[in-house]
Amino acid sequence: MTSSELWTRATAERYDAEEAETSSAAVLAPTLAFLAELAGDGRALEFAIGTGRVGVPLRERGVPVVGIELSEHMAAVLRRKVDEDTLPVVLGDMATTVVPGEFTLVYLVYNTITNLLTQDEQVECFRNAARHLAPGGRFVIELGVPPLRFLPPGQVAVPFDVSERHLGFDTFDLVEQILVSHHFTRDGDDGHYRRENSRHRYAWPAELDLMARVAGLGWERRVADWDGSPFTQDSAKHISVWRKPT
């Protein structure tokens, strides 16, 4: 087992409701189009497939999808949506777990590579992707750019959401490249807030490119979002694609 923190049953049961906006057909359409084009006529492997927010609708588009998921509780929620024959899921970590066969696409979305809390494990994740890819296949990662430009001297916290029912901010350990994501979520209308936090290891785009090179993958392109918009110094996140040599 890697250093990734496990999703609990309670968190897994809440996940789809809390991510309803990012799971809508309108929001997911560019993501699915991007991934389906790269998969082509082959199979896709999703690392950390979770409750199937992306994997299930991608399978519905006709792309054969297999998933790897560390949390049995997240996988159990996915299994209510689709059966094992339609979308197989293997319980295990994304850095070392191996599933049978080759894939034209391996993908890892929604900042999830940061769940691996050491650089060594993140490198192993790239190696695991390369291990599963057919020659010419692609590895795709969606990841936020660390918002360190928002940190003035002496400050260690950056807010990312201040809304009626949720307060969210990240605190940073700049030496270890660890951020802790803090969430205060209002449950019901009685004024009580639920507090949660999770640890992540952030990585820069150039660092990921080096990890890919270590794993034998070549850089192909980087865009700012699933719609293909250009990646610039002001982009808050990136979609990066690396390719296994033919």
Side-chain angles (χ1 to χ4, degrees), residues 96-122:
T96 63
T97 301
V98 177
V99 301
E102 287 188 325
F103 299 83
T104 56
L105 173 66
V106 178
Y107 66 95
L108 181 54
V109 299
Y110 217 29
N111 302 321
T112 311
I113 193 170
T114 67
N115 289 1
L116 298 170
L117 299 179
T118 69
Q119 187 183 71
D120 285 344
E121 288 176 348
Q122 291 177 352

Side-chain angles (χ1 to χ4, degrees), residues 11-174:
T11 303
E13 293 294 338
R14 291 193 301 263
Y15 185 82
D16 284 349
E18 293 181 346
E19 294 296 333
E21 182 177 350
T22 63
S23 303
S24 68
V27 170
L28 280 178
T31 306
L32 301 177
F34 192 106
L35 296 174
E37 180 181 1
L38 290 184
D41 296 328
R43 300 194 302 159
L45 173 62
E46 181 171 356
F47 285 174
I49 194 170
T51 66
R53 182 182 69 91
V54 174
V56 171
L58 185 61
R59 180 65 185 88
E60 291 171 350
R61 284 179 66 108
V63 177
V65 176
V66 178
I68 293 174
E69 174 54 43
L70 184 61
S71 169
E72 62 178 315
H73 303 301
M74 296 288 277
V77 175
L78 179 150
R79 191 52 66 223
R80 299 172 197 161
K81 305 172 185 177
V82 61
D83 61 51
E84 176 72 15
D85 290 338
T86 303
L87 202 166
V89 175
V90 177
L91 289 178
D93 70 84
M94 56 189 164
T96 63
T97 301
V98 177
V99 301
E102 287 188 325
F103 299 83
T104 56
L105 173 66
V106 178
Y107 66 95
L108 181 54
V109 299
Y110 217 29
N111 302 321
T112 311
I113 193 170
T114 67
N115 289 1
L116 298 170
L117 299 179
T118 69
Q119 187 183 71
D120 285 344
E121 288 176 348
Q122 291 177 352
V123 169
E124 288 306 313
C125 181
F126 273 83
R127 285 180 167 147
N128 201 29
R131 184 180 297 122
H132 285 91
L133 285 171
R138 276 97 165 190
F139 183 35
V140 177
I141 285 181
E142 176 188 22
L143 184 60
V145 176
L148 302 190
R149 294 169 66 186
F150 293 101
L151 284 176
Q155 180 174 310
V156 296
V158 174
F160 60 83
D161 185 33
V162 180
S163 57
E164 182 180 355
R165 306 194 71 88
H166 178 254
L167 302 174
F169 62 92
D170 293 330
T171 55
F172 293 85
D173 179 336
L174 302 183

